[in-house]
Amino acid sequence: MANTPPTQDQNQSVVDRAREVIPGGAQTGLRAQAYNTGDIAFESASDATLTTVTDEQYTDYHLGFGPVILGHAHDDVDAAAQAAIDDGVLYGAGTTPLEVEVAERLVDLLPSVEMVNFCNSGSEATYHAIRLARAATGNKKVLKFEGCYHGWHDYVDVSVYPPTDRVGERYPESDGMLSAAVENTLIAPFNDPEAVNEILHEHGDELAAVILEPIPHSVGCLLPRIEFLETLREATAVHDVPLIFDEVISGFRHSPHGVQGEVGVTPDLTCVAKALGNGYPVAAVGGRADLLAQAGGDNESGVVISGTYSGSLPGLAAARETIDTIVANDVQAYLTDLGDRYRDGLNDLLEDHDINGRIVGHRSIFSVQFGVRGEPHNYEDILGLDEKRFHTFAAGMRERGHFFTPNPYKRHHLSAAHDETHLESYLDAADAVFADL
Ligand SMILES: Cc1ncc(COP(=O)(O)O)c(C=O)c1O
């Protein structure tokens, strides 16, 4: 039977059916935002291309919120995962050579990591990290920073995107959160060493952990001032409070050594996920051996770290292959150069079209932000974003074949499958869309 070409109706039918059985028509609220630029149902992806059920193709700058660092359907990563599948996906007892090999790579590459526990998502990793820190200190309170996202659980889903009139106070991001958890989460502005010193001075004895994205990409890109990171390191060490770097986005995307390796500030615990497995569900919490050893399972009062699927073999095989490919090919050098060229090209276009806006980013990540200028240092610096203009920009780029999530606070990602051709095509499209803005 001949293939019938898909029609726009097929797209609509998938979306309509999705809306009947899936809240918002997508697996997460943020994924549902793709509907801001028109209903969309994707069916396949390879290299830097995403394809819809109606065979429309887009260059993908979303990359599943960042994990796909080597490109979609990467042959070697998929072959490694397939080989693991062929050997059975889950044993659920004892250990395996594969998990030891991936753990050893994390210990070798990430300065803070002496021992590792695997899990499946960034949220699990930050949850485990906080539990380890609470157990070690006997304290309850956790300090986090406005604009940093550490996952969906009640300990940390506070003051990620507070509305303007709630900046500076604890802002629970979801209904249904446990008030005791929210009350035990302290918040501070990013990049403010004085605020950190004050809070540590006042609450040092009650704090279980300080957690941050060393580069908060959950709001585009806030580059950290080195004195801020150094103050955090010193103040937490003085008060014996574990410092947690959430490198779920940055780990293995910016450097195999993490931002901690780039800036020379070593936390006590580190969470990695996303780029670790090029899109396969695999994540880890690692860090000081004495903290991790609490989860050794060999004493009655120890920390429970649990999960039927933790250390699942296809994810670990993907992680081993992804790490080895990144390291062997110095993927970050390539992506940093390409990222610089996107940023330079976009900055030139903003100037040519006299548009009030800025391009922020680091290495393979960039964000186009309208209505604001200058380098952002904290959450307040992104409050004036022109959301409407960004939506128009995202829709115009999508019409021209370039997909990124139409959320003005999010970011573009590049992969090793992006190249010169994608760059030129993107900048040509941006030129045309900027002309109409
Ligand atoms: C910095 C950071 N931490 C934690 C998480 C949570 O990870 P996951 O969505 O895998 O649970 C995310 C997810 O976007 C993240 O960006």
Side-chain angles (χ1 to χ4, degrees), residues 213-240:
E213 292 177 73
I215 301 179
H217 281 304
S218 294
V219 287
C221 179
L222 303 177
L223 289 176
R225 293 187 171 114
I226 189 69
E227 63 270 28
F228 170 67
L229 295 179
E230 285 172 353
T231 302
L232 268 177
R233 180 60 290 182
E234 281 159 29
T236 49
V238 167
H239 292 274
D240 215 6

Short mmCIF file of all heavy atoms in Angstrom, two decimals, residues 213-240:
data_model
loop_
_atom_site.label_atom_id
_atom_site.label_comp_id
_atom_site.label_asym_id
_atom_site.label_seq_id
_atom_site.Cartn_x
_atom_site.Cartn_y
_atom_site.Cartn_z
N GLU A 213 22.25 26.94 40.68
CA GLU A 213 22.81 26.68 39.36
C GLU A 213 24.01 27.63 39.27
O GLU A 213 23.82 28.84 39.36
CB GLU A 213 21.84 27.07 38.26
CG GLU A 213 20.58 26.24 38.13
CD GLU A 213 19.69 26.81 37.02
OE1 GLU A 213 20.00 26.65 35.84
OE2 GLU A 213 18.67 27.45 37.35
N PRO A 214 25.22 27.12 39.10
CA PRO A 214 26.36 28.05 39.07
C PRO A 214 26.24 29.06 37.92
O PRO A 214 26.77 30.17 38.02
CB PRO A 214 27.57 27.15 38.92
CG PRO A 214 27.06 25.82 38.50
CD PRO A 214 25.65 25.72 38.98
N ILE A 215 25.57 28.67 36.84
CA ILE A 215 25.12 29.64 35.83
C ILE A 215 23.60 29.43 35.71
O ILE A 215 23.18 28.42 35.15
CB ILE A 215 25.78 29.40 34.45
CG1 ILE A 215 27.30 29.49 34.56
CG2 ILE A 215 25.24 30.40 33.43
CD1 ILE A 215 28.03 29.25 33.25
N PRO A 216 22.80 30.34 36.25
CA PRO A 216 21.35 30.12 36.17
C PRO A 216 20.82 30.25 34.73
O PRO A 216 20.52 31.33 34.24
CB PRO A 216 20.77 31.21 37.09
CG PRO A 216 21.89 31.56 38.01
CD PRO A 216 23.13 31.44 37.14
N HIS A 217 20.71 29.08 34.07
CA HIS A 217 20.19 29.06 32.71
C HIS A 217 18.67 28.91 32.70
O HIS A 217 18.06 28.97 31.64
CB HIS A 217 20.81 27.91 31.92
CG HIS A 217 22.19 28.20 31.43
ND1 HIS A 217 22.49 29.30 30.65
CD2 HIS A 217 23.36 27.54 31.59
CE1 HIS A 217 23.77 29.30 30.35
NE2 HIS A 217 24.33 28.25 30.92
N SER A 218 18.09 28.67 33.87
CA SER A 218 16.64 28.55 33.90
C SER A 218 15.98 29.87 33.57
O SER A 218 14.79 29.91 33.25
CB SER A 218 16.18 28.03 35.26
OG SER A 218 16.65 26.71 35.43
N VAL A 219 16.74 30.96 33.64
CA VAL A 219 16.22 32.27 33.23
C VAL A 219 17.13 32.84 32.11
O VAL A 219 17.44 34.01 32.11
CB VAL A 219 16.12 33.25 34.41
CG1 VAL A 219 14.95 32.87 35.31
CG2 VAL A 219 17.41 33.29 35.23
N GLY A 220 17.52 31.97 31.19
CA GLY A 220 18.37 32.42 30.08
C GLY A 220 19.82 32.18 30.44
O GLY A 220 20.34 31.09 30.30
N CYS A 221 20.45 33.23 30.96
CA CYS A 221 21.85 33.07 31.37
C CYS A 221 22.25 34.22 32.29
O CYS A 221 22.35 35.36 31.85
CB CYS A 221 22.75 33.05 30.14
SG CYS A 221 24.50 32.88 30.55
N LEU A 222 22.43 33.91 33.58
CA LEU A 222 23.02 34.90 34.50
C LEU A 222 24.45 34.43 34.75
O LEU A 222 24.67 33.38 35.36
CB LEU A 222 22.26 34.94 35.83
CG LEU A 222 20.76 35.22 35.79
CD1 LEU A 222 20.17 35.15 37.21
CD2 LEU A 222 20.47 36.58 35.17
N LEU A 223 25.42 35.18 34.24
CA LEU A 223 26.80 34.74 34.48
C LEU A 223 27.19 35.08 35.92
O LEU A 223 26.91 36.18 36.41
CB LEU A 223 27.75 35.42 33.48
CG LEU A 223 27.61 34.91 32.04
CD1 LEU A 223 28.51 35.69 31.10
CD2 LEU A 223 27.89 33.41 31.94
N PRO A 224 27.83 34.13 36.60
CA PRO A 224 28.16 34.38 38.01
C PRO A 224 29.39 35.26 38.14
O PRO A 224 30.34 35.15 37.37
CB PRO A 224 28.49 32.97 38.53
CG PRO A 224 28.98 32.23 37.33
CD PRO A 224 28.27 32.81 36.13
N ARG A 225 29.34 36.17 39.12
CA ARG A 225 30.57 36.91 39.47
C ARG A 225 31.42 35.94 40.29
O ARG A 225 30.92 35.30 41.23
CB ARG A 225 30.23 38.13 40.31
CG ARG A 225 29.46 39.20 39.54
CD ARG A 225 29.32 40.44 40.43
NE ARG A 225 28.78 41.55 39.68
CZ ARG A 225 27.57 42.10 39.93
NH1 ARG A 225 26.81 41.62 40.89
NH2 ARG A 225 27.16 43.13 39.21
N ILE A 226 32.69 35.92 39.99
CA ILE A 226 33.56 34.94 40.66
C ILE A 226 33.59 35.20 42.17
O ILE A 226 33.60 34.26 42.98
CB ILE A 226 34.97 34.90 40.02
CG1 ILE A 226 35.78 33.72 40.57
CG2 ILE A 226 35.71 36.18 40.15
CD1 ILE A 226 35.29 32.38 40.16
N GLU A 227 33.52 36.49 42.58
CA GLU A 227 33.56 36.76 44.03
C GLU A 227 32.30 36.23 44.73
O GLU A 227 32.33 35.89 45.91
CB GLU A 227 33.81 38.24 44.35
CG GLU A 227 32.76 39.21 43.89
CD GLU A 227 33.01 39.74 42.47
OE1 GLU A 227 33.64 39.01 41.67
OE2 GLU A 227 32.59 40.86 42.17
N PHE A 228 31.20 36.15 43.97
CA PHE A 228 29.97 35.58 44.54
C PHE A 228 30.17 34.09 44.82
O PHE A 228 29.89 33.61 45.93
CB PHE A 228 28.81 35.80 43.56
CG PHE A 228 27.55 35.05 43.91
CD1 PHE A 228 26.82 35.37 45.05
CD2 PHE A 228 27.09 34.02 43.09
CE1 PHE A 228 25.66 34.68 45.37
CE2 PHE A 228 25.93 33.33 43.41
CZ PHE A 228 25.22 33.66 44.55
N LEU A 229 30.71 33.37 43.83
CA LEU A 229 30.91 31.93 44.02
C LEU A 229 31.95 31.68 45.11
O LEU A 229 31.80 30.76 45.93
CB LEU A 229 31.34 31.28 42.70
CG LEU A 229 30.30 31.31 41.58
CD1 LEU A 229 30.85 30.64 40.32
CD2 LEU A 229 29.00 30.62 42.00
N GLU A 230 32.99 32.51 45.13
CA GLU A 230 34.02 32.30 46.16
C GLU A 230 33.49 32.60 47.56
O GLU A 230 33.79 31.88 48.52
CB GLU A 230 35.24 33.16 45.84
CG GLU A 230 36.03 32.55 44.70
CD GLU A 230 37.17 33.43 44.18
OE1 GLU A 230 37.28 34.61 44.61
OE2 GLU A 230 37.91 32.96 43.31
N THR A 231 32.65 33.65 47.65
CA THR A 231 32.04 33.95 48.96
C THR A 231 31.17 32.81 49.42
O THR A 231 31.19 32.41 50.60
CB THR A 231 31.19 35.24 48.87
OG1 THR A 231 32.02 36.30 48.45
CG2 THR A 231 30.54 35.59 50.21
N LEU A 232 30.38 32.27 48.48
CA LEU A 232 29.52 31.14 48.83
C LEU A 232 30.34 29.98 49.37
O LEU A 232 29.99 29.36 50.37
CB LEU A 232 28.81 30.65 47.57
CG LEU A 232 27.46 31.23 47.25
CD1 LEU A 232 26.96 30.66 45.93
CD2 LEU A 232 26.46 30.88 48.36
N ARG A 233 31.44 29.70 48.65
CA ARG A 233 32.29 28.58 49.06
C ARG A 233 32.86 28.82 50.47
O ARG A 233 32.80 27.95 51.34
CB ARG A 233 33.39 28.37 48.02
CG ARG A 233 34.38 27.26 48.25
CD ARG A 233 33.78 25.86 48.34
NE ARG A 233 32.98 25.63 49.57
CZ ARG A 233 32.39 24.49 49.89
NH1 ARG A 233 32.46 23.46 49.07
NH2 ARG A 233 31.71 24.35 51.00
N GLU A 234 33.37 30.03 50.68
CA GLU A 234 34.00 30.31 51.98
C GLU A 234 32.97 30.31 53.10
O GLU A 234 33.16 29.69 54.14
CB GLU A 234 34.69 31.68 51.95
CG GLU A 234 36.05 31.62 51.27
CD GLU A 234 36.50 32.99 50.79
OE1 GLU A 234 36.11 34.00 51.42
OE2 GLU A 234 37.24 33.05 49.79
N ALA A 235 31.84 31.01 52.87
CA ALA A 235 30.86 31.15 53.95
C ALA A 235 30.23 29.81 54.31
O ALA A 235 30.00 29.52 55.48
CB ALA A 235 29.78 32.16 53.54
N THR A 236 29.96 28.97 53.31
CA THR A 236 29.36 27.67 53.63
C THR A 236 30.39 26.79 54.35
O THR A 236 30.02 26.04 55.26
CB THR A 236 28.85 26.95 52.36
OG1 THR A 236 29.87 26.98 51.36
CG2 THR A 236 27.59 27.60 51.83
N ALA A 237 31.66 26.91 53.96
CA ALA A 237 32.69 26.10 54.64
C ALA A 237 32.80 26.53 56.10
O ALA A 237 32.86 25.68 57.00
CB ALA A 237 34.03 26.24 53.92
N VAL A 238 32.79 27.85 56.35
CA VAL A 238 32.90 28.35 57.72
C VAL A 238 31.76 27.80 58.58
O VAL A 238 31.95 27.40 59.72
CB VAL A 238 32.89 29.90 57.74
CG1 VAL A 238 32.67 30.44 59.15
CG2 VAL A 238 34.19 30.44 57.14
N HIS A 239 30.55 27.78 58.01
CA HIS A 239 29.38 27.35 58.80
C HIS A 239 29.10 25.85 58.64
O HIS A 239 28.10 25.35 59.15
CB HIS A 239 28.15 28.16 58.38
CG HIS A 239 28.24 29.60 58.79
ND1 HIS A 239 27.85 30.05 60.03
CD2 HIS A 239 28.72 30.66 58.13
CE1 HIS A 239 28.07 31.36 60.12
NE2 HIS A 239 28.59 31.76 58.97
N ASP A 240 29.97 25.16 57.92
CA ASP A 240 29.83 23.72 57.74
C ASP A 240 28.49 23.34 57.10
O ASP A 240 27.80 22.41 57.53
CB ASP A 240 29.98 23.02 59.12
CG ASP A 240 30.68 21.69 58.95
OD1 ASP A 240 31.12 21.40 57.82
OD2 ASP A 240 30.75 20.94 59.94
#
